[in-house]
Amino acid sequence: MAELVQRYLDDLVAEYAGVSDGALADYIPELTQVDSSGFGLTLSSSDGFLYESGDARTEFTIQSISKPFTYALALDQVGEDAVDAKISVDDMTTTPKNPMINAGAIASVALVPAAGPDERFAKIRDFYSACAGRPLEFDEDVYRSEKATGSRNRAIAYMLDSFGVLADDPDEVLDVYFRQCSLRVTSADLARMGATLARGGVNPQTGRRVTSTRVVQRTLSVMVTCGMYNAAGDWVSAVGMPAKSGVGGGIVAVLPGQLGIGVYSPLLDARGNSVRGVLVCRSLSERLGLHFLTV
Ligand code: GLU
């Protein structure tokens, strides 16, 4: 069985390796420097067994895949009521509704309780690392570039501050957000992070409980509805797994109870999702019958 799965992944990577559609993210110079041919695929079973193919150990920045994990950490640390008071609810509240878009993601950062930005970032990094099962490193160049060019995110943070959503200094909160986006992962890390969610908050490799099943349920819910930018609807119907993508070229997908999938390929489609990442996940879902609404 293990050999079959391995061969299947190798065939998939070979099948899509020739696809060169899409473009590298170019909103910061650092992301235009990456090797556009990079292509890694990792699948983690719910008992922690890894199947890897291609450039599964190539590091890239996590970018927006950080969003569900910081949302989970905020839920874990302060509970649903405190999180819902700042993220979600309705038009009348002037609070951001969605932790998968930047406003909600920046609000999530501010919800993580900490004495200052360094402690807050340490908590976030530790949480992602516990999900990945190894200490994640930080990309200084990407961070500096994000910080130097982040006018849009700065505008969002100040708008949130004017609405009273951020309990702390907006520049400090933003600095932590830029740092979390600049953490480096591999497709193997994403598969393990996905498998931790698939196992209801227990990292299957280390056996450590990272968060509760309730937090995971909320996190997977926002990933199902909003994880793939404006392609979330197409993704749910074609792939049928909670997922999150980032402009670094990564995608994490989760089949609850069963699998975590990590894919890396930095050429993005017009909606910001990895072209080969989407193709591979569609194919895996179809051929292995992974759609979560399969009856
Ligand atoms: N650091 C990026 C930003 O906040 C992340 C973008 C993304 O992956 O969607 O603008």
Side-chain angles (χ1 to χ4, degrees):
M1 172 67 181
E3 271 172 39
L4 269 181
V5 176
Q6 185 61 49
R7 192 164 345 122
Y8 178 62
L9 294 194
D10 291 340
D11 287 351
L12 260 184
V13 167
E15 182 178 347
Y16 293 113
V19 176
S20 57
D21 302 337
L24 294 171
D26 60 2
Y27 72 98
I28 53 171
E30 271 61 29
L31 293 180
T32 63
Q33 310 296 313
V34 307
D35 174 5
S36 62
S37 69
F39 190 16
L41 170 62
T42 309
L43 201 141
S44 170
S45 63
S46 64
D47 58 5
F49 194 85
L50 276 201
Y51 301 90
E52 301 180 76
S53 194
D55 305 317
R57 298 288 159 147
T58 296
E59 292 196 328
F60 52 94
T61 50
I62 190 168
Q63 298 293 352
S64 280
I65 302 170
S66 63
K67 290 170 179 166
F69 292 94
T70 294
Y71 179 61
L73 177 60
L75 285 167
D76 185 86
Q77 299 277 298
V78 299
E80 289 177 18
D81 292 347
V83 169
D84 287 350
K86 301 284 187 189
I87 307 173
S88 82
V89 258
D90 63 47
D91 291 338
M92 305 304 292
T93 63
T94 62
T95 58
K97 291 186 197 171
N98 182 343
M100 299 298 102
I101 54 138
N102 286 16
I106 293 167
S108 295
V109 170
L111 281 163
V112 175
D118 290 341
E119 185 183 320
R120 182 169 281 140
F121 177 62
K123 274 186 152 179
I124 288 172
R125 188 212 285 240
D126 288 350
F127 184 72
Y128 298 4
S129 298
C131 292
R134 73 168 185 113
L136 299 179
E137 300 295 334
F138 164 70
D139 191 318
E140 189 77 36
D141 293 339
V142 169
Y143 160 71
R144 285 190 193 290
S145 209
E146 296 271 359
K147 202 170 158 87
T149 60
S151 297
R152 196 168 137 267
N153 283 322
R154 204 158 285 120
I156 292 171
Y158 275 86
M159 184 191 69
L160 293 174
D161 188 47
S162 78
F163 292 152
V165 170
L166 304 181
D168 284 305
D169 176 73
D171 285 311
E172 286 188 359
V173 173
L174 209 53
D175 188 66
V176 176
Y177 173 72
F178 290 141
R179 283 194 257 176
Q180 80 171 34
C181 288
S182 306
L183 283 166
R184 301 175 68 93
V185 290
T186 64
S187 69
D189 293 323
L190 293 182
R192 291 203 189 281
M193 293 168 88
T196 299
L197 298 178
R199 280 283 302 268
V202 175
N203 181 318
Q205 178 201 8
T206 61
R208 179 173 162 203
R209 175 164 288 287
V210 177
T211 188
S212 68
T213 52
R214 176 69 192 157
V215 164
V216 170
Q217 188 177 324
R218 290 277 302 243
T219 305
L220 292 177
S221 301
V222 292
M223 289 167 71
V224 170
T225 49
C226 316
M228 299 296 288
Y229 304 113
N230 288 340
D234 293 344
W235 174 273
V236 170
S237 63
V239 181
M241 278 183 260
K244 184 73 195 87
S245 63
V247 294
I251 298 180
V252 62
V254 180
L255 187 59
Q258 303 205 39
L259 291 175
I261 297 170
V263 198
Y264 170 62
S265 174
L267 291 171
L268 308 179
D269 63 23
R271 286 145 152 179
N273 295 314
S274 165
V275 173
R276 290 191 293 197
V278 171
L279 289 170
V280 160
C281 290
R282 283 179 83 120
S283 195
L284 271 172
S285 175
E286 270 166 31
R287 294 188 214 165
L288 301 181
L290 303 180
H291 197 297
F292 71 164
L293 299 179
T294 301
V295 180

